[in-house]
Amino acid sequence: MLLPLAPPAARPATTTPRPSRSRLARLRGTVPGLAVVAGVAAAALLAARAVPGVQASTAAVALGAGLAATGLHRPVLHAGTRWAGHGLVRLAVVLLGLQTGAGTLAVLGVGGAVVVLVTVTTTFVGTRLVGRLLRVPAPQALLVATGFSICGASAVAGVRDVAGAHDEDAAVAVALVTLCGTIAIVALPLLREPLGLDPAAFGAWVGASVQDVGQVVATAHRVEGADRAAVVVKLARVVLLAPLVALVALEGRRGRHPAAAAPADAPADAPADGHVRRRPPLVPAFVVAFLVTAALSGAGVVPVPVLAAAADAQGVVVVAALVGLGTGITPAVLRRAVGRPLLLGLTAWVLVAGTAWAGVRLVG
């Protein structure tokens, strides 16, 4: 009697990653979106040159949001535009460090440094308290507070990585700082004389209160003699990005941030069990790189032509990153940005502008 043949042995499970999940495949997946980001960023830069009063950063956010609103932001583009909104912002922060040497604080003086520190602290803490009163989600209020107190979209992206915030929270914060910063370009110069500010004091006020670096330059440029003070004070605010990120990360390590089910950039197979895989780094790598580039710039070891080229590159990278962030400002996000978040953003704007003005007047 013949015995039945045994079933073939099961093949051992392989641990080789599927091609679709390989790093190379994911890299290829970003190409279409990055190509669109490059094209839209070029259009934003050209628009800024061709149309007086148009800022490249504002145009970039608007064009990115336009892609999302019109349905042109197709799924095939998402990987690339999302990477631009995450990775390119970090690169922009690193390049910004080359413009933020120790000489910035030396030129600022003790009084100016105190104004910057008090303005940033008051805006950051006050905005979060108001957000709690308005019942705005804590991660969203944290990003709004950071964007208004430090440096707009760059600060939002820097803190997002350690705050347990969703991409939607970042998109709302970016929309609010872009809106208020754009209004500031028109409104603040009109307020200079009624508020009794000479050109240098006006520049200091602009540097201490306007969000994005490009918006600061555009606002100060409208008043002759205000540019230098505005840039110096603004860069002093940027210096505070690193300690602020460290403080937020430390708060997150103590479990005080209501983190999402998984980090914003977690892979699709990350566990959605309500726990983050690992603690956020106390200081993200790109913030460490920012400190290194700032130290190199302050030490005077970077040639002037390299600093000039880095400044130009930083401007282009920021515009491209803002296109990526802009694609996250969908009609649904805009609907969420009205109401309480909009009221929070306007409150933060009044808080930073009012505190900065009082400080500038007191210091003289």
Side-chain angles (χ1 to χ4, degrees), residues 23 90 118 122 125 127 142 167 240 276 288 325 327 334 347:
R23 182 174 299 180
R90 296 169 183 162
V118 170
T122 302
V125 175
T127 302
L142 173 61
D167 282 354
L240 296 178
V276 179
V288 175
L325 289 170
T327 59
L334 288 175
T347 302

Side-chain angles (χ1 to χ4, degrees), residues 59-355:
V61 173
L63 290 173
L67 288 177
T70 57
L72 295 176
H73 187 221
R74 312 296 295 177
V76 70
L77 306 177
H78 289 184
T81 56
R82 191 166 178 274
W83 188 90
H86 285 253
L88 290 183
V89 171
R90 296 169 183 162
L91 175 59
V93 171
V94 174
L95 292 173
L96 187 61
L98 290 174
Q99 305 171 48
T100 320
T104 298
L105 296 180
V107 172
L108 189 65
V110 176
V114 171
V115 170
V116 169
L117 183 60
V118 170
T119 300
V120 169
T121 303
T122 302
T123 305
F124 182 73
V125 175
T127 302
R128 294 186 72 185
L129 290 175
V130 173
R132 191 176 303 170
L133 293 174
L134 294 175
R135 297 182 182 178
V136 173
Q140 191 176 103
L142 173 61
L143 295 186
V144 171
T146 305
F148 277 87
S149 61
I150 301 289
C151 55
S154 298
V156 169
V159 171
R160 173 183 56 188
D161 292 337
V162 297
H166 291 290
D167 282 354
E168 265 192 15
D169 297 323
V172 168
V174 168
L176 292 174
V177 297
T178 301
L179 171 65
C180 293
T182 303
I183 296 173
I185 296 173
V186 177
L188 265 57
L190 299 176
L191 295 174
R192 180 179 76 87
E193 292 187 3
L195 293 177
L197 299 174
D198 60 30
F202 174 75
W205 181 45
V206 169
S209 62
V210 179
Q211 290 75 42
D212 181 72
V213 175
Q215 293 165 344
V216 167
V217 173
T219 307
H221 189 67
R222 298 188 62 198
V223 174
E224 187 175 354
D227 300 67
R228 185 171 185 271
V231 171
V232 168
V233 173
K234 178 60 187 177
L235 293 181
R237 284 170 70 194
V238 173
V239 170
L240 296 178
L241 174 62
L244 183 63
V245 170
L247 288 173
V248 172
L250 184 61
E251 187 177 349
R253 282 170 171 252
R254 292 174 177 172
R256 295 176 63 187
H257 294 320
D265 55 353
D269 55 355
D273 56 2
H275 299 285
V276 179
R277 286 180 180 274
R278 61 188 180 195
R279 290 180 175 182
L282 192 57
V283 181
F286 77 95
V287 176
V288 175
F290 163 80
L291 294 173
V292 170
T293 55
L296 292 174
S297 175
V301 298
V302 183
V304 173
V306 174
L307 293 176
D312 292 338
Q314 197 265 347
V316 173
V317 171
V318 165
V319 170
L322 288 176
V323 173
L325 289 170
T327 59
I329 305 176
T330 63
V333 167
L334 288 175
R335 286 193 293 271
R336 292 186 181 94
V338 300
R340 292 174 182 176
L342 179 58
L343 181 57
L344 178 63
L346 294 175
T347 302
W349 188 29
V350 171
L351 189 59
V352 68
T355 306

